Amino acid sequence: MNQTVDWERQATEALKRIARRQDLKAHVERTPALNGLLSRAAARYVAGASRKDGIEAGRRLLAQEYAISLEYIGENTTDAEACMAAAEEMAALIAELGELGAAARASFDLSHIGLAVDDELAFAQLLRLSRQARETGIEPFVSMEESAKTDRILAVYKRAAAEEPGIGITLQAYLNRTPGDLAGLAGIGGPVRLVKGAYEEPREAAIGRSAALNERYLSLVESALAQGRRVSVATHDEALIEAIVSRGWARHRLEFELLYGIRPDLAGKLKASGYPVRVYAIYGEEWYLYLCHRLAEFPPNLYRAIADIAGGAAADPMSEYA
Ligand code: FDA
C-alpha cells in the first residue's frame, strides 16, 4: 500500500474522532492561547465570529455573482435556553439576509435549535424560522447530522415541510438508507442538497469515498431531478462534478454549492461556464467540529493549517473569490 495514502486515511479517521471529543472542544474553548492559534486555521473556512462578519462575507460573494448560504454554526445544544438563543440569532440572520436580496439561503442544524432537547422544540423552531424566511424571501435549509439522528431529523423536516413546503433538506449519499429516504420524500417539500457525508459512521450504515459512492451520488441527483426538485450538488469532487455536467441535466434546477474557503478556483470555473454556483459560509464561535471536518476531508489541509497558525496574519479566503 502507498504509505502516504495510508497516513492520510489514518489522519482522516483520527480527525473525525477528535471532532467528536467534547472534552477536547471544551479545552480549546477555555484556553485562550490555544483557541487563538486554532482560530487562525479556522479563519480559512469561517467567515468570522459575528453575524456582521457573516453578512459581510455574503455581501462580497453576492457582489461576485455567487448565490450564498449562511449558517450560524453550532450543533448538539442540550440547553433549551441556548437553543432559543440560537434560534433568535438565526431569526436576526434571516432578517438581515432579506435586506441583502435574492439568492440567499439560511442553513442550520436541527440539533442547534432544539433536537438535542426535544423533537417538539426543534419542530416549533424550524416552523417559526421557515415562516419568517418565506415572508422575507429567504430559503430555509436543514443540514444533515450523524445517522443516529437521521430518522428524527427527517420526521421533524417532513412535519414542517407539510406546512412550509419551501424548506430544503440535505441528504448524505454515503448512507445506505439515503436512496430510500429520498424516495420517501416524494411529494413533500422543496429543494434537496446532496452531500457525500462528513461524519464517522458505523461500517454497516455507510460506504466510504469510492467509485461506488460517486455512482450512488449521481443516481441520487437523477432521482431528485426526476421528482421535480431543485438540486444543490454540494461537493468539491471535480471528477464527480464533471460527470454531472456531462449528463447535460436541466441547468435551471441544478446548482453547484461549495463551502467557503474550499476550491474557490473550482467555484470560479463553474460560474464562468454558466452554472449557478452557491458558496456556503459559516460564522460564529462554535467552529471546532467544522474545522476538524474540513481538515479530515483533505489531510493536506493540515499543512495549510500549520502554515496559517505559524504565519501570524489570519487567512483571507475572500480574496480568492475576486
Ligand atoms: P471528497 O471528500 O470526496 O473529496 C474529493 C476532492 O474534493 C478532494 O480530493 C479535494 O480535491 C476536494 N476536497 C474535498 N474536501 C476538501 C477540503 N476540506 N479542502 C480542500 N479540498 C477538499 N456534510 C454532512 O454530513 N451534512 C451536511 O449537512 C453537510 N452540508 C454541506 C453543505 C455544503 C454546501 C457542502 C459543500 C458540504 C456539506 N457537507 C455536509 C460536507 C460533505 O458531506 C463532505 O464531507 C464534504 O463536502 C467533502 O466531500 P466532497 O464531496 O466535497 O469531496
Side-chain angles (χ1 to χ4, degrees):
M1 180 182 296
N2 178 324
Q3 221 174 17
T4 310
V5 170
D6 194 43
W7 277 113
E8 288 195 349
R9 186 184 52 75
Q10 289 184 41
T12 292
E13 286 169 7
L15 281 158
K16 287 192 176 181
R17 280 197 301 276
I18 288 170
R20 302 307 325 160
R21 288 275 302 271
Q22 290 300 320
D23 57 332
L24 289 181
K25 176 174 181 267
H27 183 64
V28 168
E29 282 170 356
R30 64 170 181 262
T31 313
L34 185 57
N35 194 290
L37 286 176
L38 288 180
S39 68
R40 284 198 209 145
R44 178 132 335 251
Y45 312 105
V46 181
S50 69
R51 188 183 337 129
K52 190 165 167 277
D53 296 327
I55 291 285
E56 180 54 20
R59 195 189 304 280
R60 290 173 69 182
L61 288 163
L62 285 171
Q64 297 293 335
E65 297 178 351
Y66 291 104
I68 55 166
S69 290
L70 269 185
E71 179 186 350
Y72 170 54
I73 190 79
E75 63 179 318
N76 296 326
T77 308
T78 52
D79 174 76
E81 271 186 32
C83 292
M84 310 285 259
E88 281 312 308
E89 171 61 31
M90 290 171 202
L93 172 65
I94 289 168
E96 287 190 36
L97 282 175
E99 288 164 24
L100 281 186
R105 177 178 278 180
S107 276
F108 34 82
D109 282 322
L110 288 187
S111 74
H112 196 190
I113 55 169
L115 199 80
V117 177
D118 168 33
D119 292 11
E120 288 308 311
L121 180 61
F123 170 69
Q125 306 272 38
L126 174 60
L127 200 56
R128 179 169 77 88
L129 290 170
S130 301
R131 284 195 178 127
Q132 183 205 349
R134 174 177 43 76
E135 285 159 9
T136 324
I138 298 304
E139 192 166 64
F141 226 98
V142 176
S143 295
M144 192 51 77
E145 308 179 44
E146 304 93 315
S147 62
K149 296 184 205 149
T150 309
D151 279 332
R152 292 169 58 217
I153 291 172
L154 287 177
V156 169
Y157 167 73
K158 285 180 187 177
R159 278 175 68 200
E163 295 190 40
E164 287 292 331
I167 311 172
I169 183 78
T170 309
L171 295 176
Q172 297 152 321
Y174 67 0
L175 291 186
N176 300 329
R177 58 176 288 164
T178 296
D181 287 340
L182 178 61
L185 291 179
I188 304 168
V192 163
R193 172 192 289 134
L194 288 170
V195 300
K196 287 193 186 177
Y199 297 88
E200 191 179 25
E201 292 291 353
R203 281 192 198 290
E204 64 279 11
I207 53 174
R209 298 298 194 254
S210 56
L213 174 56
N214 282 14
E215 276 307 311
R216 185 189 285 168
Y217 192 110
L218 277 167
S219 97
L220 287 166
V221 175
E222 189 166 24
S223 303
L225 288 172
Q227 287 180 343
R229 292 175 196 282
R230 283 184 293 124
V231 180
S232 274
V233 172
T235 180
H236 314 94
D237 183 337
E238 203 162 351
L240 179 56
I241 289 173
E242 276 168 17
I244 288 167
V245 167
S246 74
R247 305 283 162 119
W249 284 321
R251 287 187 184 211
H252 65 284
R253 284 201 283 121
L254 199 71
E255 70 171 13
F256 293 101
E257 188 171 14
L258 289 83
L259 297 176
Y260 175 69
I262 298 180
R263 297 294 315 265
D265 59 316
L266 180 57
K269 193 170 117 183
L270 287 165
K271 186 178 63 143
S273 68
Y275 276 95
V277 181
R278 188 179 296 275
V279 179
Y280 185 115
I282 66 150
Y283 72 91
E285 307 274 4
E286 294 261 328
W287 42 257
Y288 172 86
L289 177 71
Y290 191 83
L291 175 63
C292 292
H293 280 160
R294 301 299 79 83
L295 300 181
E297 280 153 8
F298 192 62
N301 283 347
L302 280 167
Y303 299 128
R304 220 172 181 189
I306 291 167
D308 286 339
I309 289 169
D316 176 22
M318 187 57 74
S319 59
E320 297 174 42
Y321 290 94

